[in-house]
Amino acid sequence: MKITVKLFASFRDGRFKVEERDTPAGTVCRQVVLELGLKEEELGVVMVNGRHAPLEQELQDGDSLALFPLVGGG
Amino acid sequence: MDKIFRVNMTNLTTRVETVPAAWAGHGGRGLTSTIVAAEVPADCHPLGLNNKLVFAPGLLSGTAAANSGRMSCGAKSPLTGTIKESNAGGTSAQMFARMGIKALIIEGLPADDKWYNLHLTKDGVTINEETALVGKGNFAVIDAVSERLGKKVGVITIGPAGEMKMASANISVKDPDSKIRSHGRGGLGAVMGSKKIKYISMDDAGAPGVTIADPEKFKTAARIFAKALLDHPVSGQGLPTYGTNVLVNVLNEAGGLPTKNFRYGQFAGADKISGETMHDTIVERGGKPKHGCHAGCIIQCSQVYMDKAGNYLTSGFEYETIWGLGADCCIDNLDDIALADHHMDDIGIDSIETAVMMGVAMEGGVLPFGDGKGVIRLIKDEIGKGTPLGRILGGGAAHVGKTFGVTRVPVVKGQGIPAYDPRSVKGIGITYATSTMGADHTAGYTIATNILGVGGSVDPLKKDGQVELSRNLQIATAAVDSTGMCIFVAFPALDIPECLPALIDMINARFGISLSGDDVTNLGKHILKLERAFNIGAGFTNMHDRLPEFFSEPVPPHNAVWDFTGEEIDEFWNF
């Protein structure tokens, strides 16, 4: 299945902004995070299709996974 | 010993007073609101004889505590009609504190048509007639005053918008680089303009400095506090690298980035105006990606943004400004937004109110959505020059909505709603609705918990827990705003257990007292209730704690609606 992965802030360093990836059915968010060489403790916000999601969430074909380090502002 | 400096512009006299016992435990917002509530009739005209303009540094300003250099300014607001506190960085808070000025109270109105400046030293205030700088922009005022009195003097000034008493006029403060930080919200520049004060200069030569009751205890707590600020990923890494503007992409992804005057929750041009793009542009052009708004700031979320030729364009270039002119007005050119920010700083108008107003003006057909050059022209040539159209625009979003018959007007109590859609980030909607200041994201920053995963997590699309969250954060914020601390200390304070106790320990060591966590919470509650009582006296009821009707329309991509009942919102005040 195809998913879109979007990376933000420091996660883009040495990686990419947006990438479409082929992943096997049943892939959960955590697997993508680990494949990208990101550590769980570095994660701030994980969103699937614009909604906050746990790392255990199973991705569906066409999903968009957004990963942010812990950031803030305001 | 701390003193109150009082200036009466009606008879052009000044006084140095001892601090009344009832005010001794207050600083920053707690003190400005206490003084306004005690001395300003709630039903007065904000630009009339009876309003007062109050400046107060925080309880920890002037000490070595990291990030303690915020200055509070308070009055009855010409924009909202409510009590108002607006705080800013710059050099003035530390200088006030070192000179022992607990508050500066400016009252009355001059009988003649002359303009004045005030000059503060440790010994008192002098009032001087001002002619040369009347009509000048803020950058010229700061340069000229520094030339007259020396580079080290502090300056608080208004631009042409304040002189013209526009309801969105701000008050600017000289920063450590002789550029500008602003008391942005609520039109306090118009109050200063009504009192015919163009600028306030200050010279802290020979000032006694701040006395610390228990220096060792203070040092230990200050070290723990600073470490927490640097250890937390938001205050230690994210903010200094990308600035507050890192939020564009986060809110866009969450569907909470108000776009085209709050019609959509996502903007196609978001990445072009994002913090990531801004960081790369600043580095490429030789600007500064990190910069402190006041001495002693270790977060350094500010920056210096250069134009294509490598010349200074703006600094303190914040998410809310970039969101407002960017997504909300559909302008995807960061250089246009930066130039607009420069002119807003110079003219002296709130960049949030002006950006929200421009979205409403676009809705009303004044100019097309996406017209960056048009926005720059309106700011510079209409608002800056006080043309009839400029005066309408300078009145703020609600004013422009009425003038052009627009119903999609994002304001609460007359103040423009900032950069987070309350339908898809429901917690911030409660803060907008109930804040004593009119719509204000900083009053109780529920974005931390709704979106960023700081201080726990509450689903932004659901109502559950939002009223309680906003209440807790507004109480805590009222207390933090009294310390002189930058609001971003809230990020480590929410996540790192040692942070908040260290902040309280610093206050205790500074004054030789023994406040507990409960005392601090009670202080926050007291301030909110005091401010609300003022607003009730000014004619506000719970019916003013409501969001505009158009928020019942679904906002894509989540098609979320604002679905709190009035009774649910009113629960906020149940403490």
Side-chain angles (χ1 to χ4, degrees):
Chain A
M1 63 177 187
K2 286 202 188 311
I3 60 161
T4 303
V5 179
K6 301 183 201 172
L7 298 179
F8 297 95
S10 57
F11 287 177
R12 289 179 173 178
D13 298 344
R15 296 191 185 88
F16 55 86
K17 274 191 195 180
V18 187
E19 194 175 273
E20 200 167 80
R21 293 165 83 92
D22 258 322
T23 53
T27 299
V28 298
C29 297
R30 179 178 282 106
Q31 285 167 264
V32 180
V33 166
L34 297 175
E35 278 169 25
L36 290 167
L38 295 169
K39 294 185 185 122
E40 278 186 42
E41 57 269 26
E42 291 178 289
L43 287 172
V45 178
V46 178
M47 284 189 243
V48 175
N49 304 328
R51 289 172 188 256
H52 292 76
L55 287 173
E56 297 73 37
Q57 184 161 320
E58 193 177 307
L59 293 159
Q60 307 296 323
D61 188 40
D63 273 356
S64 173
L65 171 66
L67 302 172
F68 299 82
L70 204 53
V71 291
Chain B
M1 197 63 188
D2 283 350
K3 296 155 290 204
I4 303 288
F5 282 16
R6 190 180 292 270
V7 174
N8 184 323
M9 293 305 292
T10 302
N11 56 22
L12 302 180
T13 58
T14 69
R15 269 202 327 257
V16 177
E17 301 170 357
T18 54
V19 179
W23 297 356
H26 289 293
R29 173 177 169 184
L31 186 54
T32 61
S33 287
T34 296
I35 294 173
V36 172
E39 298 197 358
V40 175
D43 60 352
C44 76
H45 194 294
L47 303 178
L49 179 69
N50 293 313
N51 200 8
K52 301 192 183 190
L53 187 67
V54 183
F55 291 91
L59 291 167
L60 290 169
S61 298
T63 71
N67 288 71
S68 62
R70 303 285 295 189
M71 174 74 115
S72 285
C73 179
K76 176 170 175 171
S77 162
L79 185 74
T80 64
T82 66
I83 200 165
K84 175 63 69 177
E85 182 263 3
S86 178
N87 69 65
T91 55
S92 63
Q94 313 281 32
M95 292 179 87
F96 265 54
R98 282 198 293 269
M99 291 189 286
I101 308 172
K102 193 159 175 76
L104 167 67
I105 304 173
I106 304 169
E107 56 197 25
L109 297 180
D112 54 27
D113 199 26
K114 291 175 182 167
W115 282 89
Y116 298 89
N117 69 61
L118 306 180
H119 184 66
L120 277 56
T121 68
K122 66 182 172 54
D123 301 316
V125 194
T126 52
I127 305 174
N128 312 287
E129 191 183 340
E130 178 61 45
T131 52
L133 297 177
V134 177
K136 301 284 188 206
N138 285 319
F139 291 111
V141 173
I142 288 173
D143 288 349
V145 176
S146 302
E147 183 80 13
R148 274 183 200 174
L149 301 173
K151 280 250 177 257
K152 287 182 180 168
V153 296
V155 184
I156 295 172
T157 170
I158 56 169
E163 290 183 36
M164 291 185 273
K165 295 183 275 190
M166 291 182 182
S168 58
N170 65 20
I171 296 175
S172 295
V173 185
K174 178 177 162 181
D175 83 357
D177 287 339
S178 296
K179 299 301 185 195
I180 284 171
R181 308 300 303 190
S182 305
H183 297 278
R185 308 227 69 193
L188 296 180
V191 180
M192 189 157 148
S194 74
K195 301 196 179 302
K196 297 286 219 180
I197 294 169
K198 177 63 180 173
Y199 71 83
I200 302 165
S201 53
M202 66 210 76
D203 184 349
D204 65 358
V210 170
T211 315
I212 307 284
D214 187 340
E216 271 314 303
K217 187 178 167 190
F218 187 91
K219 217 157 115 185
T220 306
R223 208 175 288 135
I224 295 167
F225 183 75
K227 184 174 183 311
L229 261 54
L230 293 173
D231 282 352
H232 196 274
V234 171
S235 45
Q237 293 159 33
L239 280 168
T241 309
Y242 301 104
T244 57
N245 196 30
V246 73
L247 291 177
V248 163
N249 277 333
V250 185
L251 270 300
N252 190 57
E253 194 59 31
L257 188 75
T259 297
K260 202 173 184 185
N261 191 29
F262 285 74
R263 204 172 257 97
Y264 312 108
Q266 289 181 319
F267 177 46
D271 204 55
K272 289 191 191 167
I273 59 165
S274 67
E276 289 90 335
T277 300
M278 185 166 114
H279 170 87
D280 294 348
T281 307
I282 289 172
V283 171
E284 189 187 301
R285 293 178 182 176
K288 287 185 195 167
K290 60 187 250 188
H291 178 256
C293 78
H294 64 273
C297 166
I298 59 172
I299 298 179
Q300 309 235 318
C301 70
S302 183
Q303 63 306 102
V304 179
Y305 186 95
M306 319 300 264
D307 65 14
K308 282 179 183 152
N311 300 313
Y312 175 90
L313 197 48
T314 197
S315 51
F317 195 24
E318 304 297 342
Y319 164 62
E320 282 73 21
T321 311
I322 294 165
W323 151 77
L325 293 180
D328 201 45
C329 293
C330 301
I331 297 165
D332 63 5
N333 182 322
L334 205 48
D335 286 339
D336 282 351
I337 303 171
L339 183 55
D341 193 47
H342 175 89
H343 288 306
M344 288 190 283
D345 279 351
D346 199 34
I347 288 163
I349 44 172
D350 177 19
S351 62
I352 298 181
E353 190 60 38
T354 303
V356 175
M357 176 280 291
M358 286 292 178
V360 175
M362 287 172 173
E363 188 86 39
V366 177
L367 73 171
F369 279 99
D371 185 359
K373 306 289 185 284
V375 163
I376 293 164
R377 185 185 64 76
L378 289 182
I379 293 170
K380 196 166 155 263
D381 297 334
E382 303 283 354
I383 303 174
K385 292 180 180 161
T387 64
L389 174 61
R391 285 179 183 260
I392 290 168
L393 300 175
H399 191 57
V400 168
K402 275 186 192 159
T403 304
F404 290 93
V406 175
T407 54
R408 179 182 289 279
V409 183
V411 300
V412 179
K413 300 182 181 80
Q415 180 164 278
I417 292 180
Y420 314 88
D421 198 297
R423 291 163 289 190
S424 36
V425 195
K426 292 190 192 294
I428 203 70
I430 296 294
T431 298
Y432 294 153
T434 56
S435 165
T436 52
M437 306 283 160
D440 179 359
H441 63 294
T442 67
Y445 193 64
T446 66
I447 308 305
T449 334
N450 276 195
I451 299 290
L452 304 170
V454 175
S457 144
V458 172
D459 188 335
L461 293 161
K462 292 189 177 145
K463 295 200 283 184
D464 311 55
Q466 302 289 14
V467 172
E468 191 186 15
L469 175 68
S470 175
R471 184 195 296 134
N472 290 340
L473 288 173
Q474 288 199 54
I475 290 167
T477 302
V480 169
D481 283 346
S482 301
T483 61
M485 284 288 163
C486 157
I487 192 63
F488 292 154
V489 307
F491 289 111
L494 285 165
D495 279 345
I496 298 178
E498 303 82 42
C499 185
L500 197 55
L503 177 57
I504 298 169
D505 283 349
M506 285 194 291
I507 298 170
N508 286 336
R510 154 87 168 87
F511 295 100
I513 53 177
S514 50
L515 293 178
S516 66
D518 283 348
D519 293 330
V520 173
T521 304
N522 287 333
L523 172 68
K525 288 179 180 173
H526 168 79
I527 294 166
L528 288 181
K529 287 183 172 172
L530 179 88
E531 291 170 346
R532 186 165 187 245
F534 181 93
N535 290 350
I536 290 169
F540 289 83
T541 70
N542 60 333
M543 294 310 289
H544 295 93
D545 290 356
R546 302 289 182 262
L547 298 192
E549 191 179 34
F550 79 86
F551 284 119
S552 61
E553 296 166 16
V555 63
H558 302 305
N559 295 320
V561 294
W562 179 250
D563 49 1
F564 280 91
T565 65
E567 291 73 24
E568 286 169 338
I569 296 170
D570 292 344
E571 271 301 302
F572 173 86
W573 287 106
N574 191 10
F575 64 87

